[in-house]
Amino acid sequence: EAQVTQNPRYLITVTGKKLTVTCSQNMNHEYMSWYRQDPGLGLRQIYYSMNVEVTDKGDVPEGYKVSRKEKRNFPLILESPSPNQTSLYFCASSLSGGGDEQYFGPGTRLTVT
Amino acid sequence: QKEVEQDPGPLSVPEGAIVSLNCTYSNSAFQYFMWYRQYSRKGPELLMYTYSSGNKEDGRFTAQVDKSSKYISLFIRDSQPSDSATYLCASAPPGRRALTFGSGTRLQVQP
């Protein structure tokens, strides 16, 4: 089954404790992206990747890191999480770009206390 | 000013009603326009996709883009309770490196 998977689905952590949210897709997509979704603000793009080893900042990259060492994986790293990073995070992938149909993962709800 | 503006709702309609959802955008470079539907506790999924101006119809759904007024619309005919969800408009420029979303409109269709 074609899908985007994210882990963990739920995470509660404390300020400053490094964490990684994994994302994997099995559709051989070139493009992958991370979004955060907050009430009233909608989906905002954090980082995206057009291909392996090619990443770029989205609208809200501060406090986040990404890497794309393999085509299928695109982990999101929070080196020192802060409470304002409490949010619902989605990973997405598409064939070749942001304007193609994007397939979203199920989301990761992160709470930073 | 956000590049894509959308009324957050919520919008409540009776079953069978015609629903009109709207967005405005400010970036005249946008060429690709999409509507995503998001059910509660799920990721968004693509509902409609249009390129440049014009209409596109798919079953009960019609997407309309007016580039002269920078206006994006989604019409749902004969709305059903299963249409209850949040609807997100999204746009992308040529090159399609990034997609900009509106904040979403929550729709509730009452049986």
Coordinates of all heavy atoms in Angstrom, one line a residue, chain A residues 8 10-14 17 19 109-113:
Chain A
P8 N 7.1 9.2 16.2 CA 5.9 8.6 16.8 C 4.7 9.4 16.4 O 4.8 10.4 15.8 CB 6.2 8.8 18.3 CG 7.0 10.0 18.4 CD 7.9 10.0 17.1
Y10 N 2.4 10.3 18.7 CA 2.2 11.2 19.9 C 3.5 11.3 20.7 O 4.2 10.3 20.9 CB 1.1 10.8 20.8 CG -0.3 10.6 20.1 CD1 -0.6 9.4 19.5 CD2 -1.1 11.7 20.0 CE1 -1.8 9.3 18.9 CE2 -2.4 11.6 19.4 CZ -2.7 10.4 18.8 OH -3.9 10.2 18.2
L11 N 3.8 12.5 21.1 CA 5.1 12.7 21.9 C 4.9 13.8 22.8 O 4.5 14.9 22.4 CB 6.3 12.9 20.9 CG 7.6 13.1 21.6 CD1 8.0 11.9 22.4 CD2 8.7 13.4 20.5
I12 N 5.2 13.5 24.1 CA 5.3 14.6 25.1 C 6.7 14.6 25.6 O 7.3 13.6 26.0 CB 4.3 14.3 26.3 CG1 2.9 14.2 25.8 CG2 4.5 15.4 27.3 CD1 1.9 13.8 26.8
T13 N 7.3 15.8 25.6 CA 8.7 15.9 26.0 C 8.9 17.2 26.8 O 8.0 18.0 26.9 CB 9.7 15.9 24.7 OG1 11.0 15.8 25.2 CG2 9.5 17.2 23.9
V14 N 10.1 17.4 27.2 CA 10.5 18.6 28.0 C 11.4 19.5 27.2 O 12.1 19.1 26.3 CB 11.1 18.2 29.3 CG1 10.2 17.4 30.2 CG2 12.4 17.5 29.1
K17 N 15.2 18.9 25.3 CA 15.5 17.5 25.1 C 15.4 17.2 23.6 O 14.3 17.1 23.1 CB 14.7 16.6 25.9 CG 15.1 15.1 25.9 CD 14.3 14.2 26.8 CE 14.7 12.8 26.7 NZ 13.9 11.9 27.6
L19 N 14.9 15.7 20.0 CA 14.0 14.6 19.5 C 14.0 14.6 18.0 O 14.4 15.6 17.3 CB 12.6 14.8 20.0 CG 11.8 16.0 19.6 CD1 11.0 15.7 18.3 CD2 10.9 16.5 20.7
R109 N 1.5 14.4 16.9 CA 1.2 15.5 17.9 C 2.3 15.6 18.9 O 2.5 14.7 19.7 CB -0.2 15.2 18.5 CG -0.6 16.3 19.4 CD -2.1 16.3 19.8 NE -3.0 16.5 18.7 CZ -3.3 17.7 18.2 NH1 -2.7 18.8 18.6 NH2 -4.1 17.8 17.2
L110 N 2.9 16.7 18.9 CA 4.0 17.0 19.8 C 3.6 18.0 20.9 O 3.1 19.1 20.6 CB 5.2 17.5 19.0 CG 6.4 18.0 19.9 CD1 7.1 16.8 20.6 CD2 7.5 18.7 19.0
T111 N 3.9 17.7 22.1 CA 3.7 18.6 23.2 C 5.1 18.8 23.9 O 5.7 17.8 24.3 CB 2.7 18.1 24.3 OG1 1.5 17.9 23.6 CG2 2.5 19.1 25.4
V112 N 5.5 20.1 24.1 CA 6.7 20.4 24.7 C 6.4 21.2 26.0 O 5.8 22.2 25.9 CB 7.7 21.2 23.8 CG1 9.0 21.5 24.6 CG2 7.9 20.5 22.5
T113 N 6.8 20.6 27.1 CA 6.4 21.3 28.4 C 7.6 22.0 29.0 O 8.8 21.7 28.6 CB 5.9 20.2 29.4 OG1 6.9 19.3 29.7 CG2 4.7 19.5 28.9

